[in-house]
Amino acid sequence: MRAVQVAKTGGPEVLDCVEVPKPGIKDGQVLVRIHAIGVGKPDVLVRTGVYRWMPPLPAIPGIEATGHVAALGSGVQGLRVGEPVFVYPWKTRGCYAEYVTVQAGDVTSLPATIDLDDAATFSNFLVARAILHEVPRGPTLRTLYVNGAAGGVGSAIVQIASLEGIEVIAGASSAAKCDFARTVGARHTIDYSRENVAEQVLALTDGRGVDLVCDQIVGPNFTDSIRMLANWGTVVSFNAMGGMPAQETFTAMRANLAKSPGIRCFTLHSYDDDPDSIRRLVKETVSLFASSGIRPAIFERIPLAAARRAHELLDSRVILGKVILKP
């Protein structure tokens, strides 16, 4: 079968489409013929060799895919050959391929009403649901600011939050990306390439600030996020694409002491020893898609053999929503 493999780390050019044996199947495992593969930042971190949970090389990236059950190992219950499924082997990876073998617990049945291309974006919505409902434990969430709102996770946060009646202020790096964020549900947008985010957030909230800041950039101005929190507000950092803060963070927290600000760094790897919670998040996301009519923004569908192009798009930061690969 065809698969995309990383034998050495580097730029998109290290992604090689190769022929590898079709995976076998053991007791408790499921073989899935892949229909669509979600491409995301964890794949880039593996490709560049900086991922904290780096697999041994050579490795086949990919932590999310959809497809159809091709075979069942002994002892697998509740699945049948041919049914559509979402596959989320977030520990073992291997989804950049025509087939993948995973543990039965990493497979979730999908109703016929859910498009398999749409479901290949589910990991973004898992992160979004966790950020909105599990990570912060503060006041009732009424308002939030999310940066990188035109990307996969950012747009997922906007969609879920707006669906739940949360007022969303979306930050993006261009006018076009701000326009896109409005189309997926943002009430207000801030072009952070030319506007002062903290000042704009405080102006849009009449000085109150937001209950939650969803931050995947961090960067030198990270401590501005503390200033734009409402009382008891929380910053959730789930990436650090802009590097580390220029100002010492605890000093900035003490400077805003009356707000009782909270900062939490988050990764889905927090659930590595809690697979039941991951499965619950997946099932909640399936139910959300089935019941609400929510649709992810798919920027482009790219053939598996052209995976390098998908990573070039990620590196160039031009994506609005999500890129998926098609075997």
Side-chain angles (χ1 to χ4, degrees), residues 38-42 64 118 120-129 131 146-160 171 177 180 184 216 238-239 241 289 294-299 313-314 317-324:
V39 180
K41 291 294 183 183
E64 62 176 332
D118 287 353
T121 73
F122 272 6
S123 70
N124 293 141
F125 287 83
L126 302 184
V127 175
R129 286 189 66 83
I131 287 173
V146 54
N147 58 27
V153 173
S155 61
I157 289 172
V158 173
Q159 286 184 280
I160 293 177
K177 290 182 178 182
F180 169 76
V184 295
Q216 58 186 309
F238 58 102
N239 211 323
M241 295 183 290
F289 271 63
I294 198 168
R295 296 295 299 273
I298 296 177
F299 183 71
L313 289 172
L314 278 171
R317 299 178 59 224
V318 300
I319 294 173
L320 302 176
K322 183 84 165 185
V323 168
I324 62 174

Side-chain angles (χ1 to χ4, degrees), residues 106-139:
D106 295 336
V107 179
T108 302
S109 298
L110 293 174
T113 54
I114 293 181
D115 182 271
L116 292 187
D117 283 5
D118 287 353
T121 73
F122 272 6
S123 70
N124 293 141
F125 287 83
L126 302 184
V127 175
R129 286 189 66 83
I131 287 173
L132 291 172
H133 295 297
E134 303 209 359
V135 182
R137 299 293 186 192

Side-chain angles (χ1 to χ4, degrees), residues 125 129 160 163 283-294:
F125 287 83
R129 286 189 66 83
I160 293 177
L163 186 70
K283 289 178 181 178
E284 289 172 356
T285 301
V286 172
S287 297
L288 175 70
F289 271 63
S291 63
S292 70
I294 198 168

Side-chain angles (χ1 to χ4, degrees), residues 223 226-233 249-262:
T223 50
I226 301 169
R227 183 161 63 93
M228 64 195 196
L229 287 175
N231 288 356
W232 307 102
T249 302
F250 190 71
T251 300
M253 293 178 72
R254 295 293 302 180
N256 291 271
L257 187 61
K259 294 178 181 288
S260 294

Side-chain angles (χ1 to χ4, degrees), residues 69-325:
V69 175
L72 299 171
S74 176
V76 176
Q77 304 291 325
L79 294 168
R80 66 182 188 281
V81 172
E83 75 173 301
V85 292
F86 171 67
V87 182
Y88 189 58
W90 86 99
K91 288 186 180 179
T92 56
R93 301 189 150 68
C95 290
Y96 279 27
E98 292 179 306
Y99 289 85
V100 65
T101 294
V102 295
Q103 297 300 312
D106 295 336
V107 179
T108 302
S109 298
L110 293 174
T113 54
I114 293 181
D115 182 271
L116 292 187
D117 283 5
D118 287 353
T121 73
F122 272 6
S123 70
N124 293 141
F125 287 83
L126 302 184
V127 175
R129 286 189 66 83
I131 287 173
L132 291 172
H133 295 297
E134 303 209 359
V135 182
R137 299 293 186 192
T140 300
L141 183 52
R142 295 187 288 161
T143 59
L144 68 83
Y145 169 77
V146 54
N147 58 27
V153 173
S155 61
I157 289 172
V158 173
Q159 286 184 280
I160 293 177
S162 60
L163 186 70
E164 296 178 357
I166 300 166
E167 184 174 314
V168 177
I169 303 172
S173 60
S174 70
K177 290 182 178 182
C178 286
D179 289 343
F180 169 76
R182 289 188 199 94
T183 68
V184 295
R187 177 78 62 83
H188 308 286
T189 58
I190 299 171
D191 181 346
Y192 50 67
S193 69
R194 61 182 184 85
E195 297 178 273
N196 184 295
V197 173
E199 290 179 2
Q200 288 294 101
V201 166
L202 291 170
L204 290 167
T205 59
D206 295 323
R208 175 182 180 271
V210 291
D211 300 307
L212 176 65
V213 172
C214 308
D215 181 19
Q216 58 186 309
I217 296 174
V218 183
N221 298 322
F222 171 73
T223 50
D224 286 351
S225 295
I226 301 169
R227 183 161 63 93
M228 64 195 196
L229 287 175
N231 288 356
W232 307 102
T234 303
V235 181
V236 175
S237 167
F238 58 102
N239 211 323
M241 295 183 290
M244 294 296 104
Q247 183 180 0
E248 202 279 317
T249 302
F250 190 71
T251 300
M253 293 178 72
R254 295 293 302 180
N256 291 271
L257 187 61
K259 294 178 181 288
S260 294
I263 296 177
R264 187 183 296 278
C265 296
F266 172 67
T267 168
L268 279 176
H269 284 286
S270 299
Y271 296 102
D272 278 359
D273 297 321
D274 187 8
D276 288 343
S277 289
I278 281 288
R279 291 167 192 147
R280 173 179 50 76
L281 282 169
V282 171
K283 289 178 181 178
E284 289 172 356
T285 301
V286 172
S287 297
L288 175 70
F289 271 63
S291 63
S292 70
I294 198 168
R295 296 295 299 273
I298 296 177
F299 183 71
E300 192 169 333
R301 295 165 173 83
I302 295 174
L304 176 64
R308 290 181 183 181
R309 169 170 164 73
H311 279 239
E312 288 168 352
L313 289 172
L314 278 171
D315 288 355
S316 67
R317 299 178 59 224
V318 300
I319 294 173
L320 302 176
K322 183 84 165 185
V323 168
I324 62 174
L325 298 175

